[in-house]
Amino acid sequence: KMPASIPEADRRHRASAAFSLSFLSLVFSITAFSSSYWCEGTRKVAKPFCKGDSKGDLCIRFNSPDGNSSQAVQYIWETGDDKFVEKKFHAGIWYSCEEMINEEGEKCRSFISLTPASDRGVLWLSIVAELLYVVLLLTGNILMSVEMCYYSSVIDGLKINAFSAVVTVLAGLLGMVAHMMYTTVFQMTVNLGPEDWRPHTWDYGWSYGLAWTSFACCMAAAVTTINKYTKTILEFKHKRKKLERSFRIQYKFPDH
């Protein structure tokens, strides 16, 4: 039985709080891992020649009826910003996509193929660490749900609680390492990647923020679980001291 000094409502509240944080962490990590918005930005590319009746500011009008050839040649060889157009792009762990000029939709490429050969090993390590992060989070969620729904004894509950705390802490450490490795790989790809991909401006996207939010929820769940375990152990020790004190009093002053 649980010691009388441990309120059942408080124990269940801590267990449900840890499970909720761990579940949120799992959902956020899967969403971020499968998306391609870890980094967003723009690429500055030269405008293509207008084809057919194409008009607008996204292509260069060559030999147009309202201008002669000399003006067209002079415009083509200008080096100002009028010759370039900015295309939006977004990249994740799996692939990178950028918008098409004068066309609907996006063109996507595998991010692994864009990464410099010297950094692909680090990227694969990051992918493996992210997968392990998700697996450990799922394991922690299962253990916490078992602890909430099934109790055979206090000792069994403490064992499950301790194991789920260890698993959640390991998951958080793996997630932190995986996010940092991907950040390093992306920055190296920006500097050393293919010329037809390197961004002009870029920043971290919502998936990157979601990944770190997942890490924060994971560590909060670990702290809550460890706190619950520690509080239960302290309550046991307090109960034991009270019992020992009562036994000593009974030994010194036995009933006549």
Side-chain angles (χ1 to χ4, degrees), residues 62-107:
F62 181 62
N63 290 339
S64 57
D66 55 345
N68 55 42
S69 299
S70 61
Q71 289 177 337
V73 171
Q74 182 181 1
Y75 180 79
I76 290 169
W77 285 101
E78 280 183 343
T79 57
D81 289 338
D82 289 341
K83 186 182 175 183
F84 296 94
V85 63
E86 290 188 344
K87 293 169 40 174
K88 293 181 180 179
F89 86 98
H90 54 90
I93 292 177
W94 298 108
Y95 50 91
S96 173
C97 298
E98 62 183 48
E99 63 180 349
M100 306 282 286
I101 300 179
N102 294 326
E103 292 182 27
E104 295 291 333
E106 295 180 325
K107 179 179 71 174

Side-chain angles (χ1 to χ4, degrees), residues 19 22 135-145 164 167-168:
F19 175 78
S22 182
V135 170
L136 288 175
L137 280 176
L138 180 60
T139 304
N141 271 267
I142 294 172
L143 289 171
M144 291 177 189
S145 62
S164 61
V167 168
T168 309

Side-chain angles (χ1 to χ4, degrees), residues 21-22 28 65 74 78-79 115 124 129-130 145 175 186 196-197 201 207 220 246:
L21 287 168
S22 182
F28 289 164
Q74 182 181 1
E78 280 183 343
T79 57
T115 308
W124 279 112
E130 287 284 355
S145 62
F186 185 83
D196 63 343
W197 177 84
T201 60
S207 295
S246 65

Side-chain angles (χ1 to χ4, degrees), residues 196-208:
D196 63 343
W197 177 84
R198 293 183 194 176
H200 178 62
T201 60
W202 67 276
D203 201 353
Y204 296 110
W206 63 265
S207 295
Y208 188 80

Side-chain angles (χ1 to χ4, degrees), residues 4-252:
S5 56
I6 301 180
E8 184 73 15
D10 180 66
R11 180 175 62 84
R12 287 192 173 276
H13 176 73
R14 289 174 182 272
S16 61
F19 175 78
S20 300
L21 287 168
S22 182
F23 183 74
L24 276 177
S25 178
L26 178 64
V27 172
F28 289 164
S29 65
I30 293 175
T31 304
F33 186 59
S34 58
S35 70
S36 62
Y37 286 86
W38 285 62
C39 300
E40 301 177 75
T42 58
R43 288 189 59 240
K44 197 171 184 179
V45 297
K47 293 180 181 178
F49 294 124
C50 295
K51 295 180 180 179
D53 296 331
S54 299
K55 294 181 179 180
D57 297 329
L58 299 180
C59 62
I60 296 176
R61 291 180 293 277
F62 181 62
N63 290 339
S64 57
D66 55 345
N68 55 42
S69 299
S70 61
Q71 289 177 337
V73 171
Q74 182 181 1
Y75 180 79
I76 290 169
W77 285 101
E78 280 183 343
T79 57
D81 289 338
D82 289 341
K83 186 182 175 183
F84 296 94
V85 63
E86 290 188 344
K87 293 169 40 174
K88 293 181 180 179
F89 86 98
H90 54 90
I93 292 177
W94 298 108
Y95 50 91
S96 173
C97 298
E98 62 183 48
E99 63 180 349
M100 306 282 286
I101 300 179
N102 294 326
E103 292 182 27
E104 295 291 333
E106 295 180 325
K107 179 179 71 174
C108 295
R109 290 181 283 181
S110 169
F111 183 73
I112 299 171
S113 65
L114 299 172
T115 308
S118 59
D119 295 311
R120 283 178 189 169
V122 180
L123 179 60
W124 279 112
L125 282 175
S126 173
I127 292 173
V128 171
E130 287 284 355
L131 287 172
L132 288 175
Y133 174 53
V134 173
V135 170
L136 288 175
L137 280 176
L138 180 60
T139 304
N141 271 267
I142 294 172
L143 289 171
M144 291 177 189
S145 62
V146 168
E147 184 191 0
M148 288 174 60
C149 301
Y150 171 75
Y151 303 97
S152 58
S153 67
V154 177
I155 301 301
D156 290 342
L158 279 174
K159 288 178 181 178
I160 296 174
N161 190 251
F163 192 51
S164 61
V166 171
V167 168
T168 309
V169 170
L170 286 176
L173 293 175
L174 271 174
M176 179 182 67
V177 171
H179 303 344
M180 292 176 67
M181 283 195 296
Y182 177 78
T183 304
T184 302
V185 170
F186 185 83
Q187 290 175 350
M188 293 299 295
T189 306
V190 168
N191 295 325
L192 303 175
E195 289 285 348
D196 63 343
W197 177 84
R198 293 183 194 176
H200 178 62
T201 60
W202 67 276
D203 201 353
Y204 296 110
W206 63 265
S207 295
Y208 188 80
L210 200 63
W212 283 108
T213 304
S214 170
F215 166 75
C217 289
C218 176
M219 297 311 295
V223 170
T224 305
T225 307
I226 293 171
N227 179 266
K228 179 175 175 287
Y229 176 83
T230 306
K231 185 177 180 181
T232 306
I233 293 293
L234 291 175
E235 288 286 348
F236 267 118
K237 289 182 177 180
H238 179 68
K239 184 71 173 178
R240 181 180 176 183
K241 287 181 180 179
K242 286 179 66 176
L243 286 172
E244 289 176 350
R245 193 178 301 116
S246 65
F247 283 143
R248 279 196 227 103
I249 293 173
Q250 288 181 12
Y251 180 75
K252 290 180 178 178

